[in-house]
Amino acid sequence: MSHRKFEAPRHGSLGFLPRKRAARFRGKVKSFPKDNQEDPLHLTAFIGYKAGMTHIVRQVDKPGSGLHKKEVVEGVTILETPPMVVVGVVGYVETPHGLRTIATVFAAGLSEECKRRFYKNWYRSKQKAFTKYAKKWSEAQKPKTIDRDLARIKKRADVVRVIAHTQVSLLRLRVKKAHIMEVQVNGGSIAEKVDFAVNLFEKKVAVDTVFNENEMIDVISVTKGKGFEGVTTRWGTTRLPRKTHKGLRKVACIGAWHPARVSFTVARAGQHGYHHRTQINKKVYRIGKLERDDKGRVVDKSACTEADLTVKGITPMGGFVRYGFITNDWVMLKGTTPGAIKRPVTLRKSLVPQTSRNAVEQVTLKFIDTASKFGHGRFQTAEEKRKVMGKLKRHLAAK
């Protein structure tokens, strides 16, 4: 029998097998929070778009901790979250084999960005999706179709979910198809859930109606793709000695002669990144609301704090790198989130009640950095830069 000269823990986790490319571009919610009929009616998920990162300064409020009443600097992620539009409701019944659909009811009018999602080539098609379905909402057909399906859901369903889509037209992305997802409705009875969902048809749902500041939520998205990588990068295995024949970023032994196959636990080269991942317990530091003036222009004062009275928006000088300017509501999460810039990120309410010290701590922001992220960034606002550097050539030319 052979033996190992050195003992060591394995490299890399087997909990994420298979490490292959994600099947979908948008993070999928595979479990929603458990329903409690005593809670008020509410939605449990939302979709945002990753804009970039910045840093904040806050005072820690943890009595007994060494950091209590001390200032800390933390990295935060900014997600742009334009309101979502509810366009349908689905009822499910629980079976031994999982959930089974009872009925699906769509709203009378669907926007073009929503309809585009149902087509491979929108410009080549006749663009007649849901034209016949919309006739079911007429007074003559509604009792036989829409009302009948809603009654079936109220009578037999165990789970009620709304169908909602994002408004990608409000974003500065080269995307015309909306991202659609099902969002579970929790709280209240089944009949109340259905009425709640129908009342939201064709209405906009803002992110602050789903989540609150200082709440712990989960983030579901697809990580940044790295392509085909070797074992050293993909699994973190140790490099072989310098004089190794035919390369040293390899696994020296991939198994015994028998069994005559390679075990799934052996590190192998392959796809790295673009994996579907869920991060739990991300704290919401702030939910920003943008205003508009009389002419419809965006007025962003959402990055002000009590300690920093400078009137400024969340967008750093020059915009977020490879993203641009934020013109809609936004959410600030502590730390990083998986995925590349501009990628849709699914936000979900926590599956379990949060009672830890980090969860119950009330966060008070003292400073939000809005210096340029493209370079070293000396100034927080354009006015501050102009005071220090004076008028530039383009300002004089404008006059």
Side-chain angles (χ1 to χ4, degrees), residues 91-102 156-159:
Y92 293 96
V93 62
E94 294 177 352
T95 71
H97 306 289
L99 298 178
R100 183 172 63 82
T101 307
I102 295 174
R156 298 178 54 197
D158 298 314
V159 175

Side-chain angles (χ1 to χ4, degrees), residues 25-29 45-51 77-81 84 166 179 181 211 217-222 277 279 282 333 336-348:
F25 181 69
R26 172 187 57 81
K28 179 182 179 182
V29 179
F46 206 85
I47 294 180
Y49 295 85
K50 186 172 178 178
T77 301
I78 307 299
L79 304 174
E80 190 168 7
T81 53
M84 295 183 71
T166 59
H179 293 100
M181 72 173 296
F211 302 114
I217 65 175
D218 301 337
V219 173
I220 308 169
S221 64
V222 176
R277 293 290 180 262
Q279 278 191 357
K282 308 292 287 187
L333 299 180
T336 62
T337 58
I341 299 298
K342 302 180 182 179
R343 188 162 292 175
V345 177
T346 303
L347 309 176
R348 179 190 66 188

Side-chain angles (χ1 to χ4, degrees), residues 88-125:
V89 61
V90 189
Y92 293 96
V93 62
E94 294 177 352
T95 71
H97 306 289
L99 298 178
R100 183 172 63 82
T101 307
I102 295 174
T104 304
V105 176
F106 281 93
L110 273 64
S111 64
E112 181 185 304
E113 56 188 348
C114 178
K115 292 179 184 177
R116 278 178 178 266
R117 178 55 62 180
F118 302 112
Y119 285 90
K120 181 72 175 177
N121 287 310
W122 172 258
Y123 76 99
R124 282 184 179 176
S125 66

Side-chain angles (χ1 to χ4, degrees), residues 346-360:
T346 303
L347 309 176
R348 179 190 66 188
K349 283 187 172 290
S350 180
L351 296 182
V352 293
Q354 298 292 329
T355 57
S356 67
R357 293 186 70 186
N358 289 332
V360 298

